[in-house]
Amino acid sequence: MNNIDFIKSIQISDFSSTPKYLQLADAVIDGVRNNQLMLGDILPSINELSVHLDISRDTVEKGYKHLKTLNIISSTPGKGYFVANAEVISKQKIALFLNKLSAHKKIVYDAFAKELGDAASLDLFVYNSDISHLRTLLLNLTKHYDRYVVFPHFKEGRDQAVEVLANIPENKLLLLGKKIEGMEECDAVFENYEKDIYGALEKAREALSRYRSLKLVFPDNTDYPKAIIKGFYKFCQQYGFDHILVDDLKEEHIKKGECYINIAENDLVLILEKCIEKGFKVGEDIGVISYNETPLKKFILNGITTISTDFELMGRYAAQIIIEQKKTQVEVPFYINIRPSI
């Protein structure tokens, strides 16, 4: 393959969170793996790639340096860069679609990437819980992947989920966080939201009995599943707790004897601010429970009680399904960490 043909085969995506220099490096690796590039073949110059791909010279140079550290290419003065190793280990190509960037999604990503190790190359995309954006990303992918891993959490348009995800071959799709009705055969590493919150609150029932009422803060247009509300209502009705659903914490007038369960991180900050303004002591005057364990929550105000899935295990399970080429659905364990905030 001549240089012009090879350059035309390279696809650099502006949508991917994978740095462009790594996209370039992956394209060269794919070329070697697919015998488009042979041992000793001269690679396009830095100038050629910069002009034809509309990327900076620094990006190209960084990509080539990365390939040199992998001992895939080498360079000599006057000859330029050339393929130095044609025995490239075949890696699975994985596309991971996060609905948003957050502390707990980073835990999933880090565990997933660590467990995959050198067995796969990983491209990261973020679609901001916008199903239209996810559709655009899927339709504009510049290369094919062996597996597509998706967190299917949407603020709106949940009824379009099956249609949008149908752009991915069913045998290549792995759902993270939740299953989708109508896609029961897909691989999945999922949470059981209704059962999980019910079980977590049940374990905290003795501590919660000190409060006059329980309030679940569940913002409008959130991407969290409404099954959480069902589990909350089920628990409160089963054990006789007064309970209220709060959709906008900014308008809430907090009172002593109430316990707030916060889904979103910004609502945790807001409830703590309201406690400070009122002079209320968290864990005595007001109870606070936060969704999703993160390292800092064990230190805030001597410890914030959290109810959370095991995000590290979620990432590891997903990677194991891909590495071992399993066909399975795995429910992730859910925990409550009872701390002085209730």
Side-chain angles (χ1 to χ4, degrees):
M1 177 178 281
N2 63 46
N3 278 350
I4 295 300
D5 288 339
F6 176 64
I7 290 174
K8 288 180 179 178
S9 74
I10 299 173
Q11 301 291 331
I12 302 295
S13 173
D14 291 325
F15 291 104
S16 176
S17 296
T18 300
K20 290 183 178 179
Y21 82 92
L22 286 179
Q23 293 185 53
L24 172 60
D26 285 343
V28 174
I29 292 171
D30 285 343
V32 175
R33 183 184 299 128
N34 298 327
N35 296 319
Q36 294 173 305
L37 296 171
M38 308 300 290
L39 185 66
D41 280 356
I42 303 297
L43 295 171
S45 70
I46 290 175
N47 279 338
E48 285 178 304
L49 287 175
S50 176
V51 171
H52 282 86
L53 299 178
D54 194 24
I55 57 179
S56 71
R57 286 176 47 84
D58 288 344
T59 298
V60 179
E61 188 171 7
K62 191 173 181 181
Y64 275 177
K65 283 183 178 179
H66 178 69
L67 289 166
K68 288 183 74 173
T69 63
L70 297 176
N71 296 317
I72 293 171
I73 69 171
S74 188
S75 63
T76 56
K79 185 178 180 182
Y81 294 90
F82 61 93
V83 178
N85 180 10
E87 295 183 6
V88 178
I89 298 174
S90 180
K91 291 185 178 183
Q92 292 194 70
K93 296 190 287 268
I94 313 298
L96 173 61
F97 296 85
L98 298 182
N99 62 305
K100 60 185 174 184
L101 296 175
S102 64
H104 55 280
K105 292 290 166 61
K106 185 179 187 302
I107 294 171
V108 177
Y109 174 83
D110 288 345
F112 183 62
K114 182 179 179 181
E115 191 76 11
L116 285 174
D118 293 330
S121 62
L122 178 61
D123 286 351
L124 174 64
F125 302 86
V126 182
Y127 67 91
N128 299 317
S129 301
D130 183 336
I131 197 164
S132 296
H133 189 192
L134 177 60
R135 180 190 285 110
T136 299
L137 287 175
L138 291 173
L139 294 176
N140 286 278
L141 290 176
T142 55
K143 62 182 176 181
H144 297 288
Y145 293 90
D146 298 296
R147 296 301 297 263
Y148 301 77
V149 184
V150 182
F151 271 96
H153 295 285
F154 314 111
K155 290 182 179 178
E156 296 177 345
R158 293 179 179 89
D159 58 331
Q160 303 170 43
V162 173
E163 173 200 343
V164 171
L165 292 173
N167 288 292
I168 300 171
E170 189 175 84
N171 65 331
K172 294 186 176 184
L173 175 61
L174 171 58
L175 298 175
L176 275 189
K178 63 181 288 190
K179 294 190 285 186
I180 297 292
E181 187 176 349
M183 305 191 78
E184 286 78 8
E185 300 303 314
C186 290
D187 293 335
V189 180
F190 67 95
E191 301 175 56
N192 188 328
Y193 292 93
E194 181 178 345
K195 185 190 80 172
D196 288 345
I197 188 172
Y198 179 93
L201 294 177
E202 195 172 42
K203 290 177 181 176
R205 182 159 61 99
E206 183 177 348
L208 294 174
S209 65
R210 300 191 296 110
Y211 296 97
R212 184 178 66 253
S213 65
L214 305 184
K215 294 190 172 184
L216 176 65
V217 184
F218 200 92
D220 287 336
N221 297 321
T222 183
D223 55 4
Y224 285 96
K226 288 186 168 53
I228 294 172
I229 300 174
K230 293 172 69 174
F232 171 70
Y233 282 165
K234 182 179 178 181
F235 169 79
C236 293
Q237 291 162 4
Q238 175 73 29
Y239 292 105
F241 283 90
D242 288 339
H243 54 284
I244 297 173
L245 189 68
V246 177
D247 58 15
D248 186 355
L249 192 56
K250 292 179 182 177
E251 304 300 323
E252 180 75 5
H253 298 287
I254 65 172
K255 300 176 183 177
K256 290 184 179 182
E258 299 173 334
C259 181
Y260 287 84
I261 302 166
N262 300 280
I263 303 291
E265 297 292 286
N266 58 334
D267 282 332
L268 172 61
V269 174
L270 187 54
I271 194 67
L272 296 181
E273 288 177 342
K274 286 178 176 285
C275 287
I276 293 171
E277 290 172 3
K278 289 276 190 177
F280 292 164
K281 187 168 183 180
V282 173
E284 293 184 13
D285 302 319
I286 291 285
V288 174
I289 297 175
S290 177
Y291 246 76
N292 300 326
E293 174 73 351
T294 57
L296 279 177
K297 290 178 183 177
K298 67 179 70 174
F299 301 110
I300 299 172
L301 295 178
N302 297 318
I304 298 294
T305 296
T306 60
I307 51 179
S308 179
T309 194
D310 189 326
F311 292 109
E312 182 177 353
L313 197 56
M314 179 183 289
R316 286 169 49 201
Y317 279 167
Q320 288 165 11
I321 288 173
I322 290 171
I323 293 169
E324 298 171 18
Q325 299 184 27
K326 296 178 181 177
K327 184 71 179 174
T328 188
Q329 296 185 344
V330 183
E331 183 175 335
V332 185
F334 197 83
Y335 307 103
I336 181 165
N337 299 295
I338 299 177
R339 298 183 179 123
S341 67
I342 61 173

